[in-house]
């Protein structure tokens, strides 16, 4: 029998993100890994490229950074390489399965909204499951020329052919360029960590 799946309650994290939007003096906050550069994520300390690779960022950090980046009109390139924005599947105290896709879901919602200036996102090596990867791919489809790097480092730069639902693509991780018609375009090789 299928057990009910619950989402992780991130109400407090979302409240923190909302408070950070209004706060003009806090420069960084550490939630579950290295500190997030709040002003750079919000755009009040403008940068076009932000490298948050290898920062041990988890779901709470992903939810906060997604909320902050949503209204950033300067940041175009966000590197989240080798973090942990997906919680591993587990059971809660009641024995129900708990889903940990909220980090990927929050980032996907920002991409879908079109309010962010992001044109490039690297979420490679975040142990994303197929559902989380598909959330991000679907969100990226709505942006012409958006570059999404996703998956495992062992296959970085593999050329993908076919459709995103093709099973081979789960093993051929690549940088995906989306053309204006929303079709999957050719992949290009990238260095690990970019």
């Amino acid at each position: 029998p299928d057990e009910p799946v619950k989402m992780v309650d991130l109400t407090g994290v979302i409240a923190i993100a909302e408070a950070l939007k209004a706060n003009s003096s806090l420069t960084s906050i550490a939630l579950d890994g290295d500190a997030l550069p709040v002003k750079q994520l919000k755009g009040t300390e403008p940068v076009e490229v932000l490298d948050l690779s290898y920062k041990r960022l988890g779901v709470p950090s992903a939810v906060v950074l997604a909320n902050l980046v949503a209204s950033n009109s300067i940041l175009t390139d966000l590197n989240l390489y080798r973090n942990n924005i997906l919680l591993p599947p587990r059971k809660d105290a009641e024995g129900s399965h708990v889903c940990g896709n909220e980090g990927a879901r929050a980032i996907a919602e920002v991409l879908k909204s079109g309010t962010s200036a992001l044109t490039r996102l690297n979420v490679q090596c975040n142990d994303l499951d197929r559902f989380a990867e598909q959330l991000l791919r679907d969100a990226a489809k709505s942006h012409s020329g958006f570059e999404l790097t996703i998956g495992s480092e062992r296959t970085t730069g593999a050329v993908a052919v076919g459709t995103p639902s093709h099973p081979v693509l789960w093993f051929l991780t690549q940088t995906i360029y989306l053309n204006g018609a929303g079709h999957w375009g050719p992949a290009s090789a990238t260095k690990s960590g970019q």
Side-chain angles (χ1 to χ4, degrees):
D2 290 335
E3 296 181 39
V5 175
K6 296 181 181 179
M7 298 300 191
V8 175
D9 184 10
L10 294 171
T11 307
V13 173
I14 294 168
I16 290 170
E18 292 300 319
L20 289 172
K21 285 181 186 178
N23 185 302
S24 60
S25 59
L26 191 64
T27 59
S28 64
I29 187 169
L31 298 169
D32 52 18
D34 290 359
L36 293 172
V38 173
K39 289 187 175 191
Q40 291 176 342
L41 289 167
K42 288 191 328 186
T44 56
E45 189 176 291
V47 294
E48 289 183 16
V49 178
L50 188 54
D51 185 358
L52 296 177
S53 59
Y54 295 97
K55 301 293 185 190
R56 302 181 324 265
L57 303 177
V59 171
S61 288
V63 169
V64 167
L65 76 83
N67 276 278
L68 297 179
V69 166
S71 58
N72 187 329
S73 62
I74 305 296
L75 183 65
T76 58
D77 186 338
L78 181 59
N79 185 354
L80 297 175
Y81 178 83
R82 195 162 300 276
N83 283 289
N84 192 22
I85 63 170
L86 178 75
L87 292 174
R90 66 186 198 290
K91 290 188 177 187
D92 66 8
E94 300 164 0
S96 297
H97 290 285
V98 178
C99 177
N101 285 322
E102 286 81 1
R105 184 183 315 277
I107 294 168
E109 286 176 12
V110 168
L111 297 179
K112 280 184 187 176
S113 74
T115 58
S116 169
L118 282 178
T119 58
R120 186 174 182 197
L121 174 65
N122 183 345
V123 289
Q124 195 173 25
C125 297
N126 272 279
D127 295 323
L128 300 175
D129 62 15
R130 288 183 180 187
F131 179 75
E133 286 185 2
Q134 195 60 48
L135 279 173
L136 292 167
R137 282 188 176 104
D138 289 346
K141 280 183 188 180
S142 62
H143 298 284
S144 177
F146 193 89
E147 184 180 332
L148 175 64
T149 307
I150 197 165
S152 165
E153 72 179 344
R154 66 185 166 180
T155 55
T156 299
V159 176
V161 292
T163 64
S165 60
H166 191 282
V168 172
L169 291 184
W170 295 117
F171 301 103
L172 292 177
T173 304
Q174 71 288 323
T175 300
I176 301 168
Y177 294 95
L178 298 170
N179 63 28
H183 300 288
W184 297 95
S188 75
T190 60
K191 292 181 187 176
S192 292
Q194 290 187 338

